[in-house]
Amino acid sequence: MSHSSEIPPYTAGFRDRVFDKDPFLLALWYPATADETAVRHMGVASRAARNAPFASDGPFPLVMMSHGSEGHRFVHFWLAEYLARRGYIVAVPQHTGDNYIDASDARSLTIIERRPREMRQALDLLLAHDDIAPHIDPARISALGHSAGGATVLKLAGWHFDACAWTQYCTLNRQGDGVICEFAPNDAALDTLTQQHGAPVVRARDARICAAIMITPAFGVAATPKSVADIDVPMLFIEADTDEVLRHNVNAARFRDLLQGRAKFVRVKGAGHYSFLPLCTDYIAQNFPHLCQDFGRERRHIHDSVTQLVHHFLNRVHTG
């Protein structure tokens, strides 16, 4: 397992707004050899080699990353930089209608259908990009997501999201679980899904994804034994010690019960739901104090645990 005292083999290259005509904003981190300089991501200071050439000894494995509801493409830059310095390309699209500027479709069925489609489209565009594609190893593509992003990448891995189970849960729990139930689909939406898919499910499997990492994944209420039966890639679930946003028993714990030994589950000590966001600045702490809440452990130490867990898992998947 990697330790923070090591000297990584690469610097973290960084490019933003990768496509000429963006279908959505996309940030990219990748192995480089040029010197890193100061960069700021949404006001948070870091270091990267902006617009540097790729390191020449690729191709490299690719991690497609999906941010949480109402988040943005920089929210896991600390993890993306760590992986880039260790030989991974990390691509993060900013999800339309479910980001910090426009949250008009957050936690709704629209987003549950659109998010995986955007991830697939981003992957298509990267694999067709003249400058980037030669550096990607198409046999080593994984996906990682936090919260709603965790649900997104699990769908890419083969989970058939059961919208009927979501609605049934919310019929009983609407008052007590507003985060999940505020936009639960009505009968008309379920009927539309049935017409499209033959059942009220959202299927989004992408056969190019060979592993999936879910950090405090949302929408476990839409998981059933049948809906997870077809997932056959290695999976890592990273849980918060204290998830103050998502009910543990119907989200991460629900997936654990259903997958029964088919995935690795790790609970991160001292972490809350937002502990996987960047370190808090004074501005964030003053204006969005809920995003700065951890539960007994410094966020930088939580991040250290996560970077090492993710890196170790990916190395095991890709090298055996």
Side-chain angles (χ1 to χ4, degrees), residues 255-278:
F255 288 119
R256 186 199 284 128
D257 292 344
L258 290 172
L259 290 166
Q260 294 181 347
R262 291 161 52 202
K264 180 178 176 64
F265 283 80
V266 179
R267 203 158 176 174
V268 177
K269 185 180 177 186
H273 191 77
Y274 296 115
S275 297
F276 309 99
L277 273 54

PDB file of all heavy atoms in Angstrom, residues 255-278:
ATOM      1  N   PHE A 255     -26.531  -1.915   0.060  1.00  0.00           N
ATOM      2  CA  PHE A 255     -25.699  -2.536  -0.983  1.00  0.00           C
ATOM      3  C   PHE A 255     -24.885  -3.691  -0.398  1.00  0.00           C
ATOM      4  O   PHE A 255     -24.740  -4.741  -1.038  1.00  0.00           O
ATOM      5  CB  PHE A 255     -24.768  -1.499  -1.609  1.00  0.00           C
ATOM      6  CG  PHE A 255     -25.467  -0.507  -2.497  1.00  0.00           C
ATOM      7  CD1 PHE A 255     -25.447   0.856  -2.208  1.00  0.00           C
ATOM      8  CD2 PHE A 255     -26.139  -0.922  -3.637  1.00  0.00           C
ATOM      9  CE1 PHE A 255     -26.083   1.776  -3.025  1.00  0.00           C
ATOM     10  CE2 PHE A 255     -26.790  -0.005  -4.472  1.00  0.00           C
ATOM     11  CZ  PHE A 255     -26.753   1.344  -4.164  1.00  0.00           C
ATOM     12  N   ARG A 256     -24.373  -3.519   0.807  1.00  0.00           N
ATOM     13  CA  ARG A 256     -23.579  -4.590   1.412  1.00  0.00           C
ATOM     14  C   ARG A 256     -24.421  -5.848   1.603  1.00  0.00           C
ATOM     15  O   ARG A 256     -23.983  -6.957   1.291  1.00  0.00           O
ATOM     16  CB  ARG A 256     -22.997  -4.140   2.753  1.00  0.00           C
ATOM     17  CG  ARG A 256     -22.050  -5.202   3.317  1.00  0.00           C
ATOM     18  CD  ARG A 256     -21.805  -5.049   4.789  1.00  0.00           C
ATOM     19  NE  ARG A 256     -20.908  -3.960   5.097  1.00  0.00           N
ATOM     20  CZ  ARG A 256     -21.181  -2.991   5.970  1.00  0.00           C
ATOM     21  NH1 ARG A 256     -22.333  -2.973   6.590  1.00  0.00           N
ATOM     22  NH2 ARG A 256     -20.318  -2.054   6.210  1.00  0.00           N
ATOM     23  N   ASP A 257     -25.629  -5.677   2.119  1.00  0.00           N
ATOM     24  CA  ASP A 257     -26.511  -6.826   2.343  1.00  0.00           C
ATOM     25  C   ASP A 257     -26.825  -7.552   1.035  1.00  0.00           C
ATOM     26  O   ASP A 257     -26.848  -8.785   0.985  1.00  0.00           O
ATOM     27  CB  ASP A 257     -27.817  -6.373   3.001  1.00  0.00           C
ATOM     28  CG  ASP A 257     -27.610  -5.882   4.428  1.00  0.00           C
ATOM     29  OD1 ASP A 257     -26.543  -6.169   5.001  1.00  0.00           O
ATOM     30  OD2 ASP A 257     -28.508  -5.201   4.952  1.00  0.00           O
ATOM     31  N   LEU A 258     -27.057  -6.775  -0.017  1.00  0.00           N
ATOM     32  CA  LEU A 258     -27.454  -7.380  -1.291  1.00  0.00           C
ATOM     33  C   LEU A 258     -26.277  -8.028  -2.023  1.00  0.00           C
ATOM     34  O   LEU A 258     -26.453  -9.040  -2.704  1.00  0.00           O
ATOM     35  CB  LEU A 258     -28.097  -6.315  -2.193  1.00  0.00           C
ATOM     36  CG  LEU A 258     -29.467  -5.804  -1.746  1.00  0.00           C
ATOM     37  CD1 LEU A 258     -29.896  -4.623  -2.607  1.00  0.00           C
ATOM     38  CD2 LEU A 258     -30.522  -6.906  -1.825  1.00  0.00           C
ATOM     39  N   LEU A 259     -25.100  -7.442  -1.894  1.00  0.00           N
ATOM     40  CA  LEU A 259     -23.949  -7.959  -2.647  1.00  0.00           C
ATOM     41  C   LEU A 259     -23.262  -9.121  -1.950  1.00  0.00           C
ATOM     42  O   LEU A 259     -22.537  -9.888  -2.585  1.00  0.00           O
ATOM     43  CB  LEU A 259     -22.963  -6.818  -2.925  1.00  0.00           C
ATOM     44  CG  LEU A 259     -23.495  -5.802  -3.943  1.00  0.00           C
ATOM     45  CD1 LEU A 259     -22.664  -4.528  -3.937  1.00  0.00           C
ATOM     46  CD2 LEU A 259     -23.537  -6.400  -5.346  1.00  0.00           C
ATOM     47  N   GLN A 260     -23.436  -9.253  -0.633  1.00  0.00           N
ATOM     48  CA  GLN A 260     -23.032 -10.455   0.123  1.00  0.00           C
ATOM     49  C   GLN A 260     -21.683 -11.033  -0.292  1.00  0.00           C
ATOM     50  O   GLN A 260     -21.596 -12.114  -0.870  1.00  0.00           O
ATOM     51  CB  GLN A 260     -24.113 -11.542  -0.027  1.00  0.00           C
ATOM     52  CG  GLN A 260     -25.416 -11.140   0.624  1.00  0.00           C
ATOM     53  CD  GLN A 260     -26.486 -12.210   0.500  1.00  0.00           C
ATOM     54  OE1 GLN A 260     -26.342 -13.156  -0.269  1.00  0.00           O
ATOM     55  NE2 GLN A 260     -27.555 -12.062   1.243  1.00  0.00           N
ATOM     56  N   GLY A 261     -20.627 -10.256  -0.032  1.00  0.00           N
ATOM     57  CA  GLY A 261     -19.295 -10.791  -0.279  1.00  0.00           C
ATOM     58  C   GLY A 261     -18.761 -10.597  -1.683  1.00  0.00           C
ATOM     59  O   GLY A 261     -17.625 -10.969  -1.966  1.00  0.00           O
ATOM     60  N   ARG A 262     -19.564 -10.024  -2.575  1.00  0.00           N
ATOM     61  CA  ARG A 262     -19.101  -9.798  -3.947  1.00  0.00           C
ATOM     62  C   ARG A 262     -18.359  -8.477  -4.096  1.00  0.00           C
ATOM     63  O   ARG A 262     -17.877  -8.147  -5.186  1.00  0.00           O
ATOM     64  CB  ARG A 262     -20.285  -9.838  -4.914  1.00  0.00           C
ATOM     65  CG  ARG A 262     -20.890 -11.225  -5.068  1.00  0.00           C
ATOM     66  CD  ARG A 262     -22.299 -11.161  -5.625  1.00  0.00           C
ATOM     67  NE  ARG A 262     -22.364 -10.365  -6.845  1.00  0.00           N
ATOM     68  CZ  ARG A 262     -23.486  -9.804  -7.289  1.00  0.00           C
ATOM     69  NH1 ARG A 262     -24.609  -9.907  -6.598  1.00  0.00           N
ATOM     70  NH2 ARG A 262     -23.476  -9.111  -8.405  1.00  0.00           N
ATOM     71  N   ALA A 263     -18.293  -7.681  -3.028  1.00  0.00           N
ATOM     72  CA  ALA A 263     -17.611  -6.389  -3.070  1.00  0.00           C
ATOM     73  C   ALA A 263     -16.846  -6.181  -1.772  1.00  0.00           C
ATOM     74  O   ALA A 263     -17.164  -6.793  -0.751  1.00  0.00           O
ATOM     75  CB  ALA A 263     -18.634  -5.264  -3.256  1.00  0.00           C
ATOM     76  N   LYS A 264     -15.838  -5.309  -1.823  1.00  0.00           N
ATOM     77  CA  LYS A 264     -15.088  -4.951  -0.617  1.00  0.00           C
ATOM     78  C   LYS A 264     -15.723  -3.692  -0.017  1.00  0.00           C
ATOM     79  O   LYS A 264     -15.995  -2.730  -0.745  1.00  0.00           O
ATOM     80  CB  LYS A 264     -13.629  -4.687  -0.979  1.00  0.00           C
ATOM     81  CG  LYS A 264     -12.739  -4.304   0.208  1.00  0.00           C
ATOM     82  CD  LYS A 264     -11.301  -4.119  -0.245  1.00  0.00           C
ATOM     83  CE  LYS A 264     -10.397  -3.636   0.889  1.00  0.00           C
ATOM     84  NZ  LYS A 264     -10.285  -4.610   1.982  1.00  0.00           N
ATOM     85  N   PHE A 265     -15.983  -3.722   1.283  1.00  0.00           N
ATOM     86  CA  PHE A 265     -16.567  -2.573   1.987  1.00  0.00           C
ATOM     87  C   PHE A 265     -15.593  -2.121   3.076  1.00  0.00           C
ATOM     88  O   PHE A 265     -15.108  -2.935   3.858  1.00  0.00           O
ATOM     89  CB  PHE A 265     -17.899  -2.947   2.631  1.00  0.00           C
ATOM     90  CG  PHE A 265     -19.044  -3.024   1.657  1.00  0.00           C
ATOM     91  CD1 PHE A 265     -19.221  -4.149   0.859  1.00  0.00           C
ATOM     92  CD2 PHE A 265     -19.932  -1.968   1.518  1.00  0.00           C
ATOM     93  CE1 PHE A 265     -20.265  -4.222  -0.052  1.00  0.00           C
ATOM     94  CE2 PHE A 265     -20.976  -2.030   0.610  1.00  0.00           C
ATOM     95  CZ  PHE A 265     -21.149  -3.156  -0.174  1.00  0.00           C
ATOM     96  N   VAL A 266     -15.298  -0.823   3.088  1.00  0.00           N
ATOM     97  CA  VAL A 266     -14.420  -0.249   4.110  1.00  0.00           C
ATOM     98  C   VAL A 266     -15.104   0.971   4.704  1.00  0.00           C
ATOM     99  O   VAL A 266     -15.554   1.858   3.967  1.00  0.00           O
ATOM    100  CB  VAL A 266     -13.055   0.160   3.522  1.00  0.00           C
ATOM    101  CG1 VAL A 266     -12.183   0.764   4.620  1.00  0.00           C
ATOM    102  CG2 VAL A 266     -12.356  -1.026   2.871  1.00  0.00           C
ATOM    103  N   ARG A 267     -15.199   1.011   6.026  1.00  0.00           N
ATOM    104  CA  ARG A 267     -15.801   2.154   6.706  1.00  0.00           C
ATOM    105  C   ARG A 267     -14.680   3.050   7.213  1.00  0.00           C
ATOM    106  O   ARG A 267     -13.796   2.591   7.944  1.00  0.00           O
ATOM    107  CB  ARG A 267     -16.680   1.660   7.856  1.00  0.00           C
ATOM    108  CG  ARG A 267     -17.742   2.660   8.252  1.00  0.00           C
ATOM    109  CD  ARG A 267     -18.885   1.952   8.961  1.00  0.00           C
ATOM    110  NE  ARG A 267     -19.872   2.903   9.447  1.00  0.00           N
ATOM    111  CZ  ARG A 267     -21.018   2.573   9.999  1.00  0.00           C
ATOM    112  NH1 ARG A 267     -21.326   1.288  10.145  1.00  0.00           N
ATOM    113  NH2 ARG A 267     -21.872   3.495  10.409  1.00  0.00           N
ATOM    114  N   VAL A 268     -14.689   4.320   6.812  1.00  0.00           N
ATOM    115  CA  VAL A 268     -13.588   5.235   7.127  1.00  0.00           C
ATOM    116  C   VAL A 268     -13.842   5.921   8.466  1.00  0.00           C
ATOM    117  O   VAL A 268     -14.831   6.654   8.630  1.00  0.00           O
ATOM    118  CB  VAL A 268     -13.391   6.273   6.008  1.00  0.00           C
ATOM    119  CG1 VAL A 268     -12.290   7.259   6.382  1.00  0.00           C
ATOM    120  CG2 VAL A 268     -13.042   5.572   4.696  1.00  0.00           C
ATOM    121  N   LYS A 269     -12.952   5.683   9.399  1.00  0.00           N
ATOM    122  CA  LYS A 269     -13.080   6.208  10.746  1.00  0.00           C
ATOM    123  C   LYS A 269     -13.105   7.743  10.740  1.00  0.00           C
ATOM    124  O   LYS A 269     -12.309   8.387  10.063  1.00  0.00           O
ATOM    125  CB  LYS A 269     -11.905   5.715  11.598  1.00  0.00           C
ATOM    126  CG  LYS A 269     -11.969   6.100  13.059  1.00  0.00           C
ATOM    127  CD  LYS A 269     -10.766   5.572  13.813  1.00  0.00           C
ATOM    128  CE  LYS A 269     -10.802   6.017  15.267  1.00  0.00           C
ATOM    129  NZ  LYS A 269      -9.577   5.643  15.985  1.00  0.00           N
ATOM    130  N   GLY A 270     -14.024   8.320  11.500  1.00  0.00           N
ATOM    131  CA  GLY A 270     -14.088   9.768  11.685  1.00  0.00           C
ATOM    132  C   GLY A 270     -14.681  10.549  10.532  1.00  0.00           C
ATOM    133  O   GLY A 270     -14.720  11.782  10.564  1.00  0.00           O
ATOM    134  N   ALA A 271     -15.147   9.854   9.489  1.00  0.00           N
ATOM    135  CA  ALA A 271     -15.639  10.534   8.287  1.00  0.00           C
ATOM    136  C   ALA A 271     -17.145  10.747   8.342  1.00  0.00           C
ATOM    137  O   ALA A 271     -17.891   9.891   8.815  1.00  0.00           O
ATOM    138  CB  ALA A 271     -15.280   9.732   7.040  1.00  0.00           C
ATOM    139  N   GLY A 272     -17.580  11.896   7.834  1.00  0.00           N
ATOM    140  CA  GLY A 272     -18.981  12.157   7.568  1.00  0.00           C
ATOM    141  C   GLY A 272     -19.217  12.154   6.067  1.00  0.00           C
ATOM    142  O   GLY A 272     -18.294  11.908   5.274  1.00  0.00           O
ATOM    143  N   HIS A 273     -20.432  12.471   5.653  1.00  0.00           N
ATOM    144  CA  HIS A 273     -20.765  12.409   4.228  1.00  0.00           C
ATOM    145  C   HIS A 273     -19.903  13.360   3.394  1.00  0.00           C
ATOM    146  O   HIS A 273     -19.524  13.053   2.271  1.00  0.00           O
ATOM    147  CB  HIS A 273     -22.245  12.742   4.026  1.00  0.00           C
ATOM    148  CG  HIS A 273     -22.732  12.462   2.639  1.00  0.00           C
ATOM    149  ND1 HIS A 273     -23.007  11.187   2.199  1.00  0.00           N
ATOM    150  CD2 HIS A 273     -22.960  13.288   1.577  1.00  0.00           C
ATOM    151  CE1 HIS A 273     -23.400  11.234   0.931  1.00  0.00           C
ATOM    152  NE2 HIS A 273     -23.372  12.493   0.540  1.00  0.00           N
ATOM    153  N   TYR A 274     -19.596  14.541   3.971  1.00  0.00           N
ATOM    154  CA  TYR A 274     -18.863  15.554   3.209  1.00  0.00           C
ATOM    155  C   TYR A 274     -17.354  15.520   3.464  1.00  0.00           C
ATOM    156  O   TYR A 274     -16.628  16.378   2.959  1.00  0.00           O
ATOM    157  CB  TYR A 274     -19.418  16.943   3.527  1.00  0.00           C
ATOM    158  CG  TYR A 274     -20.862  17.114   3.098  1.00  0.00           C
ATOM    159  CD1 TYR A 274     -21.875  17.320   4.035  1.00  0.00           C
ATOM    160  CD2 TYR A 274     -21.214  17.047   1.747  1.00  0.00           C
ATOM    161  CE1 TYR A 274     -23.194  17.471   3.638  1.00  0.00           C
ATOM    162  CE2 TYR A 274     -22.533  17.187   1.347  1.00  0.00           C
ATOM    163  CZ  TYR A 274     -23.519  17.398   2.296  1.00  0.00           C
ATOM    164  OH  TYR A 274     -24.831  17.548   1.891  1.00  0.00           O
ATOM    165  N   SER A 275     -16.882  14.541   4.221  1.00  0.00           N
ATOM    166  CA  SER A 275     -15.444  14.444   4.503  1.00  0.00           C
ATOM    167  C   SER A 275     -14.628  14.119   3.253  1.00  0.00           C
ATOM    168  O   SER A 275     -13.402  14.240   3.264  1.00  0.00           O
ATOM    169  CB  SER A 275     -15.189  13.365   5.564  1.00  0.00           C
ATOM    170  OG  SER A 275     -15.802  13.705   6.782  1.00  0.00           O
ATOM    171  N   PHE A 276     -15.307  13.730   2.173  1.00  0.00           N
ATOM    172  CA  PHE A 276     -14.629  13.367   0.938  1.00  0.00           C
ATOM    173  C   PHE A 276     -14.557  14.554  -0.026  1.00  0.00           C
ATOM    174  O   PHE A 276     -14.080  14.412  -1.148  1.00  0.00           O
ATOM    175  CB  PHE A 276     -15.331  12.161   0.311  1.00  0.00           C
ATOM    176  CG  PHE A 276     -15.513  11.044   1.303  1.00  0.00           C
ATOM    177  CD1 PHE A 276     -16.726  10.860   1.963  1.00  0.00           C
ATOM    178  CD2 PHE A 276     -14.453  10.220   1.628  1.00  0.00           C
ATOM    179  CE1 PHE A 276     -16.881   9.860   2.914  1.00  0.00           C
ATOM    180  CE2 PHE A 276     -14.600   9.216   2.580  1.00  0.00           C
ATOM    181  CZ  PHE A 276     -15.813   9.037   3.216  1.00  0.00           C
ATOM    182  N   LEU A 277     -15.032  15.719   0.427  1.00  0.00           N
ATOM    183  CA  LEU A 277     -14.876  16.974  -0.294  1.00  0.00           C
ATOM    184  C   LEU A 277     -13.527  17.583   0.072  1.00  0.00           C
ATOM    185  O   LEU A 277     -12.853  17.102   0.977  1.00  0.00           O
ATOM    186  CB  LEU A 277     -16.020  17.935   0.064  1.00  0.00           C
ATOM    187  CG  LEU A 277     -17.308  17.821  -0.759  1.00  0.00           C
ATOM    188  CD1 LEU A 277     -17.871  16.414  -0.781  1.00  0.00           C
ATOM    189  CD2 LEU A 277     -18.367  18.802  -0.236  1.00  0.00           C
ATOM    190  N   PRO A 278     -13.115  18.666  -0.623  1.00  0.00           N
ATOM    191  CA  PRO A 278     -11.804  19.258  -0.309  1.00  0.00           C
ATOM    192  C   PRO A 278     -11.730  19.787   1.118  1.00  0.00           C
ATOM    193  O   PRO A 278     -12.750  19.981   1.792  1.00  0.00           O
ATOM    194  CB  PRO A 278     -11.702  20.411  -1.320  1.00  0.00           C
ATOM    195  CG  PRO A 278     -12.604  20.032  -2.444  1.00  0.00           C
ATOM    196  CD  PRO A 278     -13.739  19.293  -1.795  1.00  0.00           C
TER     197      PRO A 278
END
